[in-house]
Amino acid sequence: MWRAAVPLFILILLCTAGCAVPRLQEPTVTVDGAEIENITLESVDLLLLLTVDNPNPVGATLTRVSFDVYFLDDGQPVFLAHGERGEFKVQASGNTSVSIPVTVDNMRLVQAFLLALRDGAVTLQVNGSGVLDYGIATFEVPFNRTVEVRVGQADTSS
């Protein structure tokens, strides 16, 4: 009986040795900037531009990304908008660009604009996280970006 069990055990070891799963590295999410999509009397529609850098040899699904946008008034965050997006595919071993729509209330935007006129600049802050699902592992990846926008500055990304 032992003679039959030993070859079976060796066969199982050989089969599972090649099936070891490499350790997944944590991906990163960066904020690249924002684009104005539409302006009305009540609000401004923006597209927040993100890049998901996936260093792993397998693709993933970004099941959720959500964030809040603030402007800083004397170092204190003042809420501007919230954005969220559901599932989309993230490519293996590379970068995937993502655009997420967000609507900003004009009254809050006017506050930020008045602050920029007073101080010559306004500091914007984006805080959020994304959840990446690899099927065998899930990562929640936080991100944040603070950028100072000067009056008359056209490009807010740096």
Side-chain angles (χ1 to χ4, degrees):
M1 180 166 146
W2 286 103
R3 291 180 127 165
V6 171
L8 180 61
F9 179 71
I10 292 172
L11 181 63
I12 291 171
L13 278 177
L14 289 174
C15 287
T16 58
C19 299
V21 176
R23 184 169 178 244
L24 294 174
Q25 295 177 353
E26 186 169 318
T28 58
V29 178
T30 56
V31 180
D32 296 325
E35 296 177 355
I36 297 173
E37 286 288 296
N38 188 35
I39 300 174
T40 68
L41 290 175
E42 296 82 29
S43 64
V44 175
D45 296 329
L46 301 172
L47 276 181
L48 188 69
L49 308 172
L50 304 176
T51 298
V52 179
D53 178 21
N54 179 14
N56 300 298
V58 294
T61 300
L62 187 58
T63 59
R64 178 188 57 82
V65 62
S66 65
F67 58 88
D68 293 318
V69 181
Y70 303 88
F71 71 90
L72 300 182
D73 187 2
D74 290 327
Q76 297 300 312
V78 177
F79 180 79
L80 270 177
H82 174 79
E84 204 163 310
R85 181 166 169 195
E87 293 194 17
F88 60 92
K89 298 294 181 192
V90 175
Q91 70 178 11
S93 301
N95 294 329
T96 302
S97 297
V98 181
S99 301
I100 302 173
V102 62
T103 300
V104 181
D105 180 278
N106 281 349
M107 289 304 290
R108 292 184 184 136
L109 201 55
V110 167
Q111 281 181 279
F113 181 71
L114 291 174
L115 182 68
L117 287 177
R118 183 187 78 193
D119 297 343
V122 65
T123 302
L124 298 177
Q125 186 176 51
V126 179
N127 298 323
S129 68
V131 176
L132 282 143
D133 184 1
Y134 285 92
I136 58 170
T138 301
F139 292 99
E140 181 164 2
V141 183
F143 59 89
N144 59 53
R145 170 97 186 261
T146 302
V147 62
E148 184 177 83
V149 179
R150 300 216 156 270
V151 175
Q153 180 178 342
D155 183 13
T156 61
S157 62
S158 57

